[in-house]
Amino acid sequence: MAMISIKGLTKRFGDLQILKGVDLTVAEKEVVAIIGPSGSGKSTVLRCLNFLEAPSSGEIFIDGKRLGYEDDISGGRKRLKDADLNRQRAEIGMVFQQFNLWPHKTVIENIIEAPMLVRKTPRAVAIETGRRLLDRVGLLAKQDVYPSTLSGGQQQRVAIARSLAMQPKVMLLDEVTSALDPETVREVLDVIKALAEEGMTMVLVTHEMAFAREVADRVIFMDEGQILEAANPAQFFSSPTHPRARAFLEKVL
């Protein structure tokens, strides 16, 4: 069953076309790694998947439901009301390069805020869930501290726990290790690997080629706003078929 379906996705910013007709299907429990050079459109795909950017054209379906739009009486489409869009977004967890934690709230307060506001989860239940998730990412002892006291790797693990607190159907991860010191990268990647093993559907943009090879079920190579190749990691990293993919791997491996 397709958890994510992208059909003919394009995105323009003025005269600049970033995405040029992206088609991609991600099965339930599948982990897809999107790689490619800077400016290829990788992060824009993720931002469209969470409707942080509205597609210029094309459609996105999450668990069978069209994202961001509904049919109008003229036979076209109209953007969903904010309340309906926020309900859709609640099903889609996203973790960014920067941690985006609220500095004036403790770790546990960062985690319980969205479930209480969006899902109307009772505070006691949200705290219990938050503590369980912090334990899952190895940070239960840090529940009452402020983000500024944490390392970058610890803050990113809190950000992952915060996304998981919404019980999303899909997790999107955008270069989540790019702002980290090399010493803390592995602790974050281990958390993501555990999520993959537990069956979370994930799309991750990464520059960590070894990690993409290790955790992904499928690797997508993008350049200039298009998907040029899609293959399982063993095939892609040993014998890519597209010349641009071969040239890219020669530079980064």
Side-chain angles (χ1 to χ4, degrees), residues 47-214:
R47 291 179 66 82
C48 288
L49 277 172
N50 201 28
F51 217 77
L52 293 174
E53 298 289 352
S56 298
S57 64
E59 293 184 312
I60 298 171
F61 294 85
I62 305 292
D63 198 19
K65 297 179 181 178
R66 183 164 58 176
L67 179 67
Y69 297 101
E70 61 183 350
D71 295 332
D72 64 20
I73 57 175
S74 67
R77 67 179 187 179
K78 63 180 180 179
R79 182 169 172 144
L80 290 176
K81 296 177 181 178
D82 287 345
D84 294 328
L85 183 56
N86 287 337
R87 277 191 286 271
Q88 286 191 330
R89 283 191 178 127
E91 307 289 341
I92 308 164
M94 188 158 183
V95 184
F96 300 88
Q97 299 176 36
Q98 302 299 323
F99 322 121
N100 296 328
L101 300 176
W102 289 300
H104 62 289
K105 293 182 179 290
T106 65
V107 164
I108 192 68
E109 288 170 342
N110 265 275
I111 291 174
I112 68 175
E113 184 81 4
M116 291 171 55
L117 286 177
V118 179
R119 294 200 181 277
K120 309 303 180 185
T121 304
R123 182 179 177 86
V125 175
I127 289 174
E128 180 181 356
T129 300
R131 287 172 175 165
R132 175 175 54 80
L133 291 170
L134 283 174
D135 189 41
R136 185 174 175 183
V137 299
L139 290 173
L140 181 57
K142 302 292 187 179
Q143 65 174 349
D144 295 321
V145 307
Y146 289 90
S148 62
T149 68
L150 302 178
S151 70
Q154 289 172 329
Q155 290 188 61
Q156 195 61 290
R157 283 187 280 158
V158 172
I160 292 172
R162 181 177 61 178
S163 288
L164 292 173
M166 292 296 288
Q167 301 178 2
K169 295 178 179 179
V170 172
M171 285 284 283
L172 311 175
L173 302 107
D174 188 10
E175 296 279 19
V176 295
T177 60
S178 65
L180 302 181
D181 295 328
E183 291 181 343
T184 62
V185 167
R186 189 69 237 180
E187 65 189 42
V188 174
L189 296 184
D190 284 344
V191 169
I192 298 170
K193 184 178 179 182
L195 290 176
E197 292 172 347
E198 293 166 10
M200 174 63 72
T201 306
M202 288 191 284
V203 180
L204 55 101
V205 169
T206 184
H207 64 279
E208 301 278 351
M209 296 299 111
F211 183 65
R213 186 198 299 257
E214 177 184 0

Side-chain angles (χ1 to χ4, degrees), residues 1-6 24-32 61 63 169-171 199-203 217-218:
M1 177 180 176
M3 179 58 72
I4 299 171
S5 180
I6 302 173
L24 178 64
T25 299
V26 180
E28 185 177 6
K29 299 184 179 182
E30 186 179 19
V31 179
V32 170
F61 294 85
D63 198 19
K169 295 178 179 179
V170 172
M171 285 284 283
M200 174 63 72
T201 306
M202 288 191 284
V203 180
D217 298 304
R218 192 158 40 115

